[in-house]
Amino acid sequence: MSSQRDENREVSAQTPQGSAVSVVKLALLFYGALFAVALGWSTWSGRSVFYASQAAAEAGVAPLLDGALGLAVAVAAIALSRGLTERTRWGDAMGRALAALLGKRSTRDCIVLAVASGVAEETFFRGALQPALGWLPASLVFGLVHFAPRRELLPWTGFALCAGLVLGALFEATGNLVAPIVAHVGINAVNLRRLVVRYG
């Protein structure tokens, strides 16, 4: 009886769900640290990471318009990535490789990862880095951070670079992080779940 329980524990420890918890926790720690660095940058520089400039901070946020812009970008990016993974050989290979790295994830895991990555990355790359370096350099850094030295994942790096340019343009156009965060979270939430369902 005892050996049966031990075997059950071993099987349980090897399941994707068990690893899912640790991966999500590690991701939350990483994104929490990235967010903290952005806030530290804000304190050090004396400017808010939420706004592109002092003028933008004075103008404030148009939540409905900014949110709608972010949502529109998310819908377009999701449609593009879906078309690439379903209609091209290299897109399918990229999707399979990303799904293998992602592993089995629940809808909740995908949403948690999407919110954490969207908020932390936009706060750091757009809110902190872009005003300091400029739109193009910050977007290039964003793309390079998503570089993976595997042939099938190179399109992902290209997609991240293009996404960085668009998200940076949203930040410049609206003057705040609402639209970039909405777009980033939306793209990640839907695409992470699609990878799990399609290739899992």
Side-chain angles (χ1 to χ4, degrees):
M1 191 68 162
S2 175
S3 64
Q4 181 64 43
R5 281 197 202 117
D6 291 340
E7 284 174 26
N8 288 342
R9 279 194 205 110
E10 286 177 69
V11 170
S12 171
Q14 293 169 2
T15 59
Q17 190 60 32
S19 64
V21 174
S22 61
V23 168
V24 172
K25 284 182 179 177
L26 285 173
L28 288 176
L29 285 172
F30 172 77
Y31 289 123
L34 190 64
F35 186 72
V37 169
L39 293 183
W41 192 316
S42 173
T43 302
W44 177 75
S45 65
R47 54 167 296 277
S48 170
V49 289
F50 185 76
Y51 293 101
S53 64
Q54 184 58 40
E58 290 169 6
V61 177
L64 291 178
L65 177 60
D66 295 344
L69 279 172
L71 194 57
V73 167
V75 169
I78 290 163
L80 176 62
S81 60
R82 180 173 185 165
L84 292 175
T85 54
E86 291 181 358
R87 298 183 182 181
T88 67
R89 190 174 298 172
W90 57 265
D92 182 65
M94 175 186 70
R96 288 181 189 283
L98 288 171
L101 291 172
L102 186 61
K104 299 286 185 184
R105 297 288 172 262
S106 65
T107 300
R108 178 180 172 277
D109 288 340
C110 293
I111 292 171
V112 168
L113 290 170
V115 171
S117 62
V119 171
E121 289 185 9
E122 290 311 306
T123 304
F124 180 80
F125 288 102
R126 254 56 69 182
L129 208 61
Q130 187 162 313
L133 300 183
W135 167 67
L136 184 58
S139 300
L140 290 172
V141 172
F142 181 76
L144 288 173
V145 165
H146 289 80
F147 172 74
R150 288 173 55 182
R151 183 178 177 183
E152 63 270 26
L153 289 176
L154 289 178
W156 181 58
T157 304
F159 187 83
L161 175 58
C162 293
L165 291 167
V166 173
L167 293 168
L170 276 178
F171 183 57
E172 292 291 329
T174 62
N176 63 75
L177 285 177
V178 172
I181 286 176
V182 169
H184 200 146
V185 170
I187 293 166
N188 283 5
V190 174
N191 281 352
L192 287 175
R193 187 59 188 157
R194 277 194 65 250
L195 287 172
V196 170
V197 171
R198 181 174 172 83
Y199 299 105

